[in-house]
Amino acid sequence: MNPVHADFFAGGAGAERTLRGNLAAFDRLRIVPRVLRATGDRDLRTTLFGAGLATPILVAPTAFHLLAHPGGEAATAQGAAAAGTVMVVSMAATQPVEVIARAGGPLWFQLYPQPDPGFTASVVKRAEAAGCRALVVTVDSPVFGRRERDLRNGFTELPAGLVCENMRDDTGRVRDIAMDATAGWDRIGWLRTVTGLPILLKGVLHPADARLAVEHGVDGLIVSNHGGRQLDGAIATIDALPAVAEAVAKRIPVLVDGGIRRGTDVLIALARGADAVLVGRPVLDALAAGGATAVRDRLRELTAELDHAMALAGARRPDDLTPDLVAVAG
Ligand SMILES: Cc1cc2nc3c(=O)[nH]c(=O)nc-3n(C[C@H](O)[C@H](O)[C@H](O)COP(=O)(O)O)c2cc1C
Ligand SMILES: O=C(O)C(=O)c1ccccc1
């Protein structure tokens, strides 16, 4: 891969403390297994918003898949579908959501609400028409993160021929993705009037925001710091998760992403209160290395690692994973 594009995928904001911190936080946690639980075969099936998945490991929304592989987002969708899970399509996808939907599914659609409400509504309608089953509203990006690798590399625009295909308006012109620092909770109420799809907020770290989200009728939360690409210095997601899960008190699903690289990381996230997890860079790395089959195999590998770790920890189903199974290393 072009090293400038490799830096775009791998990099984070500022000094990359949060990027590293997501991984380091898992290094400090240990599993306290149970014995003689007679689990037999494990059952990893997971239901989210009424749809059954083979695994609690989903594909996080990430931009610009055509920079990683000529199959683009369609290849990722095919891989996710073969692994029996959801792909969250980024608003910054380089292929049209209709094309991605033909390659796989189930899909959810990630949205940066745009300052132009008419255009935002048209993007939501388009995702709905393509078959997306939930809307993931990214709320950790009132402004774009300062990615110093991209600034050093001068990576400011896509190579010729690539565009954010889901940013075309009705004249066919491609709009730039805007970050909107004027968005407040009223924006979520407005989105409710636009779509009947489940609405998840992505990028919640503070338990007070988790409570507000439930009060505003949000259907799900993703505890995320954008893979360390937005606020450098933000708390590691696995450390933020317990307080968010406690604030939500099982009223809506709570998902988490950031630094999940092993099945044991998934086990710890589920034990700390997540209903499911998402993976970003592991999928991008697999896509770059081998397209749809590599994406499928990476998701299956993570799922097999989770299954194995659950057997060793004495859990049959994700619901058997509880906070007492995780300790902070001394
Ligand atoms: C290259 C790249 C592009 C991303 N693009 C988006 C995006 O368009 N929308 C979004 O909400 N999150 C985006 N994210 C954040 C991911 O959804 C996710 O929060 C993060 O990658 C999870 O951390 P992990 O990569 O350690 O698994 C992006 C992340 C990466 C690495
Ligand atoms: O890179 C990202 O993390 C991201 O979210 C994004 C959003 C819009 C355009 C390009 C990337």
Side-chain angles (χ1 to χ4, degrees):
M1 201 195 301
N2 178 331
V4 169
H5 301 156
D7 263 350
F8 168 73
F9 287 130
E16 301 191 336
R17 290 202 172 101
T18 296
L19 174 66
R20 289 191 299 276
N22 280 343
L23 300 166
F26 280 110
D27 284 338
R28 284 194 291 270
L29 296 173
R30 295 290 181 269
I31 300 161
V32 187
R34 301 299 306 266
V35 298
L36 295 171
R37 305 295 279 208
T39 64
D41 285 342
R42 275 70 54 204
D43 182 359
L44 270 53
R45 286 173 303 167
T46 297
T47 302
L48 287 170
F49 310 113
L53 309 178
T55 172
I57 304 168
L58 288 69
V59 175
T62 53
F64 305 165
H65 289 198
L66 277 174
L67 293 180
H69 190 273
E73 286 83 6
T76 310
Q78 197 188 332
T85 194
V86 161
M87 172 190 179
V88 186
V89 175
S90 167
M91 191 175 200
T94 43
Q95 292 175 330
V97 64
E98 298 81 6
V99 170
I100 304 167
R102 252 176 267 132
L107 303 180
W108 297 353
F109 192 83
Q110 177 266 325
L111 183 81
Y112 290 109
Q114 298 298 289
D116 176 348
F119 180 72
T120 305
S122 73
V123 175
V124 171
K125 289 289 153 204
R126 186 176 164 189
E128 245 177 51
C132 294
R133 299 187 191 171
L135 205 58
V136 172
V137 182
T138 300
V139 293
D140 58 17
S141 306
V143 296
F144 204 66
R146 223 184 114 78
R147 293 120 190 222
E148 296 183 6
R149 297 196 210 200
D150 296 343
L151 296 172
R152 271 198 302 279
N153 293 333
F155 182 63
T156 52
E157 53 188 39
L158 285 167
L162 296 193
V163 297
C164 292
E165 283 292 345
N166 301 294
M167 291 299 293
R168 286 189 194 280
D169 62 21
D170 45 21
T171 73
R173 188 177 72 89
V174 179
R175 299 195 183 194
D176 285 335
I177 296 180
M179 305 289 155
D180 187 357
T182 73
W185 286 100
D186 55 326
R187 205 59 69 87
I188 305 306
W190 173 81
L191 266 177
R192 230 342 140 229
T193 69
V194 172
T195 183
L197 291 177
I199 295 175
L200 295 89
L201 299 190
K202 174 171 182 279
V204 171
L205 295 169
H206 199 299
D209 284 337
R211 262 178 234 112
L212 282 169
V214 174
E215 283 164 24
H216 283 85
V218 163
D219 301 287
L221 289 184
I222 303 179
V223 175
S224 175
N225 54 33
H226 214 111
R229 295 163 73 83
Q230 284 298 116
L231 175 63
D232 193 36
I235 184 172
T237 52
I238 197 64
D239 290 333
L241 174 62
V244 169
E246 191 184 66
V248 168
K250 303 204 190 288
R251 291 176 288 179
I252 56 174
V254 174
L255 287 68
V256 64
D257 72 21
I260 289 167
R261 301 291 179 269
R262 287 280 179 176
T264 46
D265 301 334
V266 183
L267 184 152
I268 287 169
L270 299 179
R272 289 197 138 188
D275 295 288
V277 306
L278 306 91
V279 285
R281 293 183 185 84
V283 168
L284 289 168
D285 293 345
L287 177 67
T293 51
V295 168
R296 177 200 66 195
D297 291 349
R298 189 74 182 88
L299 291 166
R300 284 187 180 163
E301 177 180 51
L302 281 167
T303 300
E305 287 178 2
L306 170 63
D307 180 80
H308 184 240
M310 283 172 59
L312 290 169
R316 201 180 97 75
R317 294 171 305 113
D319 272 354
D320 298 336
L321 296 165
T322 45
D324 55 295
L325 303 186
V326 178
V328 180

